[in-house]
Short mmCIF file of all heavy atoms in Angstrom, two decimals:
data_model
loop_
_atom_site.label_atom_id
_atom_site.label_comp_id
_atom_site.label_asym_id
_atom_site.label_seq_id
_atom_site.Cartn_x
_atom_site.Cartn_y
_atom_site.Cartn_z
N ILE I 1 -123.99 -43.20 -39.76
CA ILE I 1 -125.02 -42.80 -38.79
C ILE I 1 -124.33 -42.56 -37.44
O ILE I 1 -123.65 -43.46 -36.92
CB ILE I 1 -126.11 -43.88 -38.67
CG1 ILE I 1 -126.81 -44.04 -40.02
CG2 ILE I 1 -127.11 -43.53 -37.57
CD1 ILE I 1 -127.74 -45.24 -40.12
N VAL I 2 -124.50 -41.36 -36.87
CA VAL I 2 -123.83 -41.05 -35.62
C VAL I 2 -124.81 -40.99 -34.44
O VAL I 2 -124.39 -41.03 -33.30
CB VAL I 2 -123.01 -39.75 -35.69
CG1 VAL I 2 -121.88 -39.88 -36.69
CG2 VAL I 2 -123.89 -38.56 -36.04
N ASP I 3 -126.11 -40.95 -34.74
CA ASP I 3 -127.11 -41.02 -33.70
C ASP I 3 -128.45 -41.42 -34.32
O ASP I 3 -128.69 -41.14 -35.50
CB ASP I 3 -127.26 -39.68 -32.95
CG ASP I 3 -127.86 -39.86 -31.55
OD1 ASP I 3 -128.20 -41.00 -31.16
OD2 ASP I 3 -128.00 -38.84 -30.84
N ALA I 4 -129.27 -42.06 -33.54
CA ALA I 4 -130.59 -42.53 -34.00
C ALA I 4 -131.52 -42.56 -32.81
O ALA I 4 -131.09 -42.78 -31.69
CB ALA I 4 -130.48 -43.90 -34.63
N ASN I 5 -132.81 -42.36 -33.06
CA ASN I 5 -133.76 -42.39 -31.96
C ASN I 5 -134.42 -43.78 -31.84
O ASN I 5 -134.14 -44.67 -32.64
CB ASN I 5 -134.80 -41.27 -32.07
CG ASN I 5 -135.73 -41.45 -33.26
OD1 ASN I 5 -135.55 -42.31 -34.10
ND2 ASN I 5 -136.75 -40.60 -33.31
N LYS I 6 -135.28 -43.91 -30.84
CA LYS I 6 -135.97 -45.19 -30.61
C LYS I 6 -136.82 -45.60 -31.79
O LYS I 6 -136.92 -46.78 -32.12
CB LYS I 6 -136.85 -45.11 -29.36
CG LYS I 6 -136.09 -45.00 -28.07
CD LYS I 6 -137.06 -44.90 -26.91
CE LYS I 6 -136.61 -43.80 -25.98
NZ LYS I 6 -137.59 -43.46 -24.98
N ALA I 7 -137.45 -44.64 -32.46
CA ALA I 7 -138.27 -44.92 -33.63
C ALA I 7 -137.45 -45.57 -34.73
O ALA I 7 -137.93 -46.45 -35.43
CB ALA I 7 -138.98 -43.65 -34.11
N ALA I 8 -136.21 -45.16 -34.86
CA ALA I 8 -135.31 -45.75 -35.88
C ALA I 8 -135.01 -47.21 -35.53
O ALA I 8 -135.03 -48.08 -36.40
CB ALA I 8 -134.01 -44.95 -35.98
N VAL I 9 -134.73 -47.46 -34.27
CA VAL I 9 -134.45 -48.82 -33.83
C VAL I 9 -135.65 -49.72 -34.11
O VAL I 9 -135.51 -50.82 -34.66
CB VAL I 9 -134.09 -48.84 -32.32
CG1 VAL I 9 -134.02 -50.25 -31.78
CG2 VAL I 9 -132.77 -48.10 -32.08
N MET I 10 -136.84 -49.23 -33.80
CA MET I 10 -138.08 -49.99 -34.02
C MET I 10 -138.33 -50.22 -35.54
O MET I 10 -138.67 -51.32 -35.96
CB MET I 10 -139.27 -49.29 -33.42
CG MET I 10 -139.18 -49.10 -31.90
SD MET I 10 -139.41 -50.62 -31.01
CE MET I 10 -141.13 -50.92 -31.30
N ALA I 11 -138.13 -49.20 -36.33
CA ALA I 11 -138.47 -49.28 -37.75
C ALA I 11 -137.51 -50.16 -38.54
O ALA I 11 -137.94 -50.92 -39.41
CB ALA I 11 -138.49 -47.89 -38.36
N TYR I 12 -136.23 -50.07 -38.23
CA TYR I 12 -135.23 -50.77 -39.05
C TYR I 12 -134.89 -52.18 -38.51
O TYR I 12 -134.34 -52.98 -39.26
CB TYR I 12 -133.95 -49.96 -39.15
CG TYR I 12 -134.16 -48.66 -39.90
CD1 TYR I 12 -133.98 -47.44 -39.27
CD2 TYR I 12 -134.52 -48.65 -41.25
CE1 TYR I 12 -134.18 -46.25 -39.95
CE2 TYR I 12 -134.72 -47.47 -41.94
CZ TYR I 12 -134.54 -46.28 -41.29
OH TYR I 12 -134.73 -45.10 -41.97
N GLY I 13 -135.19 -52.43 -37.26
CA GLY I 13 -134.89 -53.76 -36.70
C GLY I 13 -133.44 -53.94 -36.29
O GLY I 13 -133.02 -55.04 -35.91
N TYR I 14 -132.65 -52.89 -36.34
CA TYR I 14 -131.27 -52.93 -35.85
C TYR I 14 -131.27 -52.44 -34.41
O TYR I 14 -132.11 -51.61 -34.03
CB TYR I 14 -130.36 -51.98 -36.65
CG TYR I 14 -130.09 -52.41 -38.07
CD1 TYR I 14 -130.84 -51.92 -39.12
CD2 TYR I 14 -129.05 -53.28 -38.36
CE1 TYR I 14 -130.56 -52.29 -40.44
CE2 TYR I 14 -128.77 -53.66 -39.66
CZ TYR I 14 -129.52 -53.15 -40.69
OH TYR I 14 -129.27 -53.52 -41.98
N SER I 15 -130.30 -52.90 -33.62
CA SER I 15 -130.13 -52.33 -32.30
C SER I 15 -129.54 -50.93 -32.47
O SER I 15 -129.04 -50.58 -33.55
CB SER I 15 -129.18 -53.19 -31.44
OG SER I 15 -127.86 -53.07 -31.94
N TYR I 16 -129.58 -50.14 -31.42
CA TYR I 16 -129.00 -48.80 -31.46
C TYR I 16 -127.53 -48.87 -31.83
O TYR I 16 -127.06 -48.14 -32.71
CB TYR I 16 -129.19 -48.12 -30.08
CG TYR I 16 -128.57 -46.75 -29.99
CD1 TYR I 16 -129.14 -45.67 -30.62
CD2 TYR I 16 -127.38 -46.56 -29.28
CE1 TYR I 16 -128.57 -44.40 -30.53
CE2 TYR I 16 -126.80 -45.31 -29.20
CZ TYR I 16 -127.39 -44.24 -29.83
OH TYR I 16 -126.83 -42.98 -29.75
N GLN I 17 -126.78 -49.77 -31.22
CA GLN I 17 -125.35 -49.92 -31.51
C GLN I 17 -125.11 -50.36 -32.95
O GLN I 17 -124.16 -49.91 -33.58
CB GLN I 17 -124.69 -50.89 -30.53
CG GLN I 17 -124.57 -50.37 -29.12
CD GLN I 17 -123.82 -49.04 -29.05
OE1 GLN I 17 -122.83 -48.81 -29.75
NE2 GLN I 17 -124.30 -48.12 -28.20
N GLU I 18 -125.96 -51.23 -33.45
CA GLU I 18 -125.82 -51.65 -34.87
C GLU I 18 -126.06 -50.47 -35.80
O GLU I 18 -125.31 -50.30 -36.80
CB GLU I 18 -126.82 -52.77 -35.20
CG GLU I 18 -126.47 -54.11 -34.60
CD GLU I 18 -127.54 -55.15 -34.83
OE1 GLU I 18 -128.74 -54.82 -34.70
OE2 GLU I 18 -127.16 -56.30 -35.11
N LEU I 19 -127.07 -49.65 -35.52
CA LEU I 19 -127.30 -48.48 -36.36
C LEU I 19 -126.08 -47.56 -36.39
O LEU I 19 -125.73 -47.00 -37.43
CB LEU I 19 -128.53 -47.71 -35.90
CG LEU I 19 -129.88 -48.29 -36.31
CD1 LEU I 19 -131.02 -47.55 -35.61
CD2 LEU I 19 -130.07 -48.21 -37.82
N LEU I 20 -125.44 -47.40 -35.25
CA LEU I 20 -124.28 -46.51 -35.16
C LEU I 20 -123.05 -47.08 -35.84
O LEU I 20 -122.06 -46.40 -36.01
CB LEU I 20 -123.95 -46.16 -33.72
CG LEU I 20 -125.03 -45.41 -32.95
CD1 LEU I 20 -124.50 -44.93 -31.60
CD2 LEU I 20 -125.60 -44.26 -33.73
N SER I 21 -123.11 -48.34 -36.26
CA SER I 21 -121.96 -48.95 -36.90
C SER I 21 -122.16 -49.07 -38.42
O SER I 21 -121.29 -49.65 -39.12
CB SER I 21 -121.70 -50.34 -36.33
OG SER I 21 -122.73 -51.24 -36.70
N ILE I 22 -123.28 -48.55 -38.93
CA ILE I 22 -123.50 -48.70 -40.39
C ILE I 22 -123.57 -47.35 -41.09
O ILE I 22 -123.73 -46.29 -40.47
CB ILE I 22 -124.79 -49.52 -40.67
CG1 ILE I 22 -126.04 -48.80 -40.16
CG2 ILE I 22 -124.68 -50.92 -40.12
CD1 ILE I 22 -127.34 -49.50 -40.53
N ASN I 23 -123.49 -47.43 -42.39
CA ASN I 23 -123.61 -46.27 -43.27
C ASN I 23 -125.05 -46.18 -43.75
O ASN I 23 -125.74 -47.20 -43.86
CB ASN I 23 -122.65 -46.46 -44.46
CG ASN I 23 -122.51 -45.21 -45.29
OD1 ASN I 23 -123.44 -44.82 -46.01
ND2 ASN I 23 -121.35 -44.60 -45.22
N ILE I 24 -125.52 -45.01 -44.03
CA ILE I 24 -126.89 -44.79 -44.51
C ILE I 24 -127.15 -45.60 -45.78
O ILE I 24 -128.27 -45.97 -46.08
CB ILE I 24 -127.18 -43.30 -44.70
CG1 ILE I 24 -128.69 -43.06 -44.89
CG2 ILE I 24 -126.39 -42.70 -45.83
CD1 ILE I 24 -129.53 -43.33 -43.70
N SER I 25 -126.10 -45.92 -46.52
CA SER I 25 -126.26 -46.71 -47.76
C SER I 25 -126.78 -48.11 -47.48
O SER I 25 -127.31 -48.76 -48.40
CB SER I 25 -124.96 -46.77 -48.55
OG SER I 25 -123.96 -47.42 -47.81
N VAL I 26 -126.67 -48.60 -46.25
CA VAL I 26 -127.24 -49.91 -45.89
C VAL I 26 -128.75 -49.80 -45.84
O VAL I 26 -129.45 -50.74 -46.22
CB VAL I 26 -126.66 -50.39 -44.54
CG1 VAL I 26 -127.38 -51.64 -44.05
CG2 VAL I 26 -125.16 -50.62 -44.65
N LEU I 27 -129.25 -48.67 -45.40
CA LEU I 27 -130.70 -48.45 -45.31
C LEU I 27 -131.29 -48.01 -46.62
O LEU I 27 -132.48 -48.22 -46.88
CB LEU I 27 -131.02 -47.40 -44.22
CG LEU I 27 -130.46 -47.67 -42.82
CD1 LEU I 27 -130.82 -46.53 -41.90
CD2 LEU I 27 -130.95 -49.02 -42.30
N ARG I 28 -130.47 -47.36 -47.41
CA ARG I 28 -130.93 -46.80 -48.69
C ARG I 28 -129.88 -47.15 -49.75
O ARG I 28 -128.80 -46.60 -49.76
CB ARG I 28 -131.05 -45.30 -48.53
CG ARG I 28 -131.60 -44.64 -49.73
CD ARG I 28 -131.93 -43.19 -49.44
NE ARG I 28 -132.35 -42.63 -50.71
CZ ARG I 28 -132.00 -41.41 -51.08
NH1 ARG I 28 -131.29 -40.66 -50.30
NH2 ARG I 28 -132.41 -40.97 -52.25
N LYS I 29 -130.23 -48.04 -50.63
CA LYS I 29 -129.23 -48.67 -51.53
C LYS I 29 -128.64 -47.74 -52.58
O LYS I 29 -127.60 -48.06 -53.15
CB LYS I 29 -129.87 -49.87 -52.23
CG LYS I 29 -130.49 -50.88 -51.28
CD LYS I 29 -129.51 -51.56 -50.40
CE LYS I 29 -130.18 -52.64 -49.57
NZ LYS I 29 -129.43 -53.04 -48.44
N ASN I 30 -129.21 -46.60 -52.89
CA ASN I 30 -128.74 -45.76 -53.98
C ASN I 30 -127.77 -44.70 -53.43
O ASN I 30 -128.12 -43.58 -53.15
CB ASN I 30 -129.94 -45.08 -54.66
CG ASN I 30 -129.55 -44.38 -55.92
OD1 ASN I 30 -128.40 -44.04 -56.13
ND2 ASN I 30 -130.53 -44.11 -56.77
N TRP I 31 -126.49 -45.06 -53.33
CA TRP I 31 -125.47 -44.19 -52.72
C TRP I 31 -125.21 -42.95 -53.54
O TRP I 31 -125.04 -41.86 -53.01
CB TRP I 31 -124.18 -44.95 -52.42
CG TRP I 31 -123.14 -44.07 -51.82
CD1 TRP I 31 -121.94 -43.74 -52.35
CD2 TRP I 31 -123.24 -43.36 -50.55
NE1 TRP I 31 -121.26 -42.88 -51.51
CE2 TRP I 31 -122.04 -42.64 -50.41
CE3 TRP I 31 -124.20 -43.29 -49.59
CZ2 TRP I 31 -121.78 -41.83 -49.29
CZ3 TRP I 31 -123.95 -42.49 -48.46
CH2 TRP I 31 -122.75 -41.78 -48.35
N SER I 32 -125.16 -43.04 -54.86
CA SER I 32 -124.84 -41.85 -55.67
C SER I 32 -125.91 -40.77 -55.51
O SER I 32 -125.59 -39.60 -55.38
CB SER I 32 -124.62 -42.22 -57.14
OG SER I 32 -125.82 -42.76 -57.68
N LEU I 33 -127.18 -41.17 -55.50
CA LEU I 33 -128.26 -40.20 -55.28
C LEU I 33 -128.20 -39.66 -53.87
O LEU I 33 -128.39 -38.47 -53.65
CB LEU I 33 -129.63 -40.85 -55.55
CG LEU I 33 -130.84 -39.94 -55.36
CD1 LEU I 33 -130.75 -38.69 -56.25
CD2 LEU I 33 -132.12 -40.70 -55.62
N THR I 34 -127.88 -40.51 -52.91
CA THR I 34 -127.77 -40.07 -51.51
C THR I 34 -126.68 -39.01 -51.38
O THR I 34 -126.89 -37.98 -50.73
CB THR I 34 -127.45 -41.27 -50.60
OG1 THR I 34 -128.48 -42.24 -50.73
CG2 THR I 34 -127.33 -40.84 -49.14
N GLU I 35 -125.52 -39.20 -52.03
CA GLU I 35 -124.44 -38.22 -52.00
C GLU I 35 -124.89 -36.89 -52.58
O GLU I 35 -124.57 -35.82 -52.03
CB GLU I 35 -123.22 -38.72 -52.76
CG GLU I 35 -122.40 -39.73 -51.99
CD GLU I 35 -121.15 -40.12 -52.77
OE1 GLU I 35 -121.28 -40.50 -53.95
OE2 GLU I 35 -120.05 -40.05 -52.17
N GLN I 36 -125.60 -36.93 -53.70
CA GLN I 36 -126.09 -35.70 -54.30
C GLN I 36 -127.03 -34.94 -53.36
O GLN I 36 -126.94 -33.73 -53.21
CB GLN I 36 -126.85 -36.01 -55.61
CG GLN I 36 -125.98 -36.51 -56.73
CD GLN I 36 -126.81 -36.98 -57.92
OE1 GLN I 36 -128.01 -36.77 -57.98
NE2 GLN I 36 -126.15 -37.64 -58.86
N GLN I 37 -127.93 -35.67 -52.75
CA GLN I 37 -128.90 -35.06 -51.83
C GLN I 37 -128.18 -34.51 -50.59
O GLN I 37 -128.54 -33.45 -50.08
CB GLN I 37 -129.99 -36.04 -51.46
CG GLN I 37 -130.91 -36.30 -52.63
CD GLN I 37 -131.86 -37.45 -52.42
OE1 GLN I 37 -131.55 -38.43 -51.73
NE2 GLN I 37 -133.04 -37.38 -53.02
N MET I 38 -127.16 -35.23 -50.12
CA MET I 38 -126.40 -34.74 -48.97
C MET I 38 -125.73 -33.40 -49.31
O MET I 38 -125.73 -32.49 -48.47
CB MET I 38 -125.36 -35.77 -48.53
CG MET I 38 -126.00 -36.99 -47.86
SD MET I 38 -124.85 -38.37 -47.61
CE MET I 38 -123.81 -37.72 -46.32
N ALA I 39 -125.22 -33.28 -50.49
CA ALA I 39 -124.59 -32.00 -50.90
C ALA I 39 -125.62 -30.89 -50.95
O ALA I 39 -125.30 -29.75 -50.58
CB ALA I 39 -123.92 -32.19 -52.26
N GLN I 40 -126.83 -31.18 -51.40
CA GLN I 40 -127.88 -30.16 -51.48
C GLN I 40 -128.28 -29.64 -50.11
O GLN I 40 -128.73 -28.49 -49.98
CB GLN I 40 -129.12 -30.71 -52.17
CG GLN I 40 -128.96 -31.00 -53.62
CD GLN I 40 -130.18 -31.73 -54.21
OE1 GLN I 40 -131.08 -32.13 -53.49
NE2 GLN I 40 -130.20 -31.88 -55.51
N THR I 41 -128.13 -30.43 -49.07
CA THR I 41 -128.57 -30.04 -47.74
C THR I 41 -127.74 -28.88 -47.17
O THR I 41 -128.16 -28.23 -46.23
CB THR I 41 -128.53 -31.19 -46.74
OG1 THR I 41 -127.18 -31.62 -46.57
CG2 THR I 41 -129.40 -32.34 -47.18
N LYS I 42 -126.57 -28.65 -47.73
CA LYS I 42 -125.73 -27.57 -47.24
C LYS I 42 -126.34 -26.20 -47.57
O LYS I 42 -126.04 -25.22 -46.92
CB LYS I 42 -124.32 -27.67 -47.81
CG LYS I 42 -123.58 -28.89 -47.30
CD LYS I 42 -122.20 -29.01 -47.89
CE LYS I 42 -121.52 -30.27 -47.35
NZ LYS I 42 -120.20 -30.46 -47.95
N GLU I 43 -127.24 -26.18 -48.56
CA GLU I 43 -127.87 -24.95 -49.00
C GLU I 43 -129.19 -24.70 -48.23
O GLU I 43 -129.48 -23.56 -47.89
CB GLU I 43 -128.16 -24.99 -50.50
CG GLU I 43 -126.93 -25.21 -51.34
CD GLU I 43 -125.91 -24.10 -51.19
OE1 GLU I 43 -126.30 -22.93 -51.11
OE2 GLU I 43 -124.71 -24.41 -51.14
N SER I 44 -129.97 -25.74 -48.07
CA SER I 44 -131.27 -25.57 -47.41
C SER I 44 -131.84 -26.92 -47.06
O SER I 44 -131.29 -27.97 -47.41
CB SER I 44 -132.25 -24.85 -48.37
OG SER I 44 -132.52 -25.66 -49.48
N TRP I 45 -133.00 -26.90 -46.37
CA TRP I 45 -133.72 -28.14 -46.11
C TRP I 45 -134.12 -28.74 -47.44
O TRP I 45 -134.49 -28.03 -48.36
CB TRP I 45 -134.98 -27.85 -45.30
CG TRP I 45 -134.75 -27.66 -43.84
CD1 TRP I 45 -134.54 -26.51 -43.20
CD2 TRP I 45 -134.70 -28.69 -42.84
NE1 TRP I 45 -134.36 -26.71 -41.87
CE2 TRP I 45 -134.47 -28.05 -41.61
CE3 TRP I 45 -134.84 -30.09 -42.87
CZ2 TRP I 45 -134.35 -28.77 -40.42
CZ3 TRP I 45 -134.74 -30.78 -41.67
CH2 TRP I 45 -134.49 -30.12 -40.49
N ILE I 46 -134.02 -30.06 -47.53
CA ILE I 46 -134.56 -30.72 -48.72
C ILE I 46 -135.55 -31.79 -48.28
O ILE I 46 -135.50 -32.29 -47.15
CB ILE I 46 -133.47 -31.31 -49.63
CG1 ILE I 46 -132.74 -32.49 -48.95
CG2 ILE I 46 -132.51 -30.27 -50.10
CD1 ILE I 46 -131.88 -33.29 -49.90
#
């Protein structure tokens, strides 16, 4: 995570700096599916 808004800080309970120090896999436990979806985003909005 390279940037997050105030709504993210409120929703996740992490400070802004904590959010910037973690990987999205901490928020979403299924990393293999996340990687697949990240690859799909290069083509279009998903």
Side-chain angles (χ1 to χ4, degrees):
I1 298 170
V2 297
D3 202 358
N5 68 352
K6 291 179 226 170
V9 171
M10 299 288 290
Y12 295 116
Y14 290 96
S15 71
Y16 177 74
Q17 290 304 321
E18 287 174 318
L19 281 172
L20 298 189
S21 70
I22 63 174
N23 190 289
I24 192 67
S25 63
V26 172
L27 305 178
R28 185 170 174 220
K29 307 294 185 199
N30 190 340
W31 179 243
S32 62
L33 180 58
T34 302
E35 281 184 309
Q36 291 172 10
Q37 289 169 328
M38 288 169 70
Q40 291 173 352
T41 64
K42 293 179 181 178
E43 303 298 321
S44 65
W45 280 93
I46 66 168

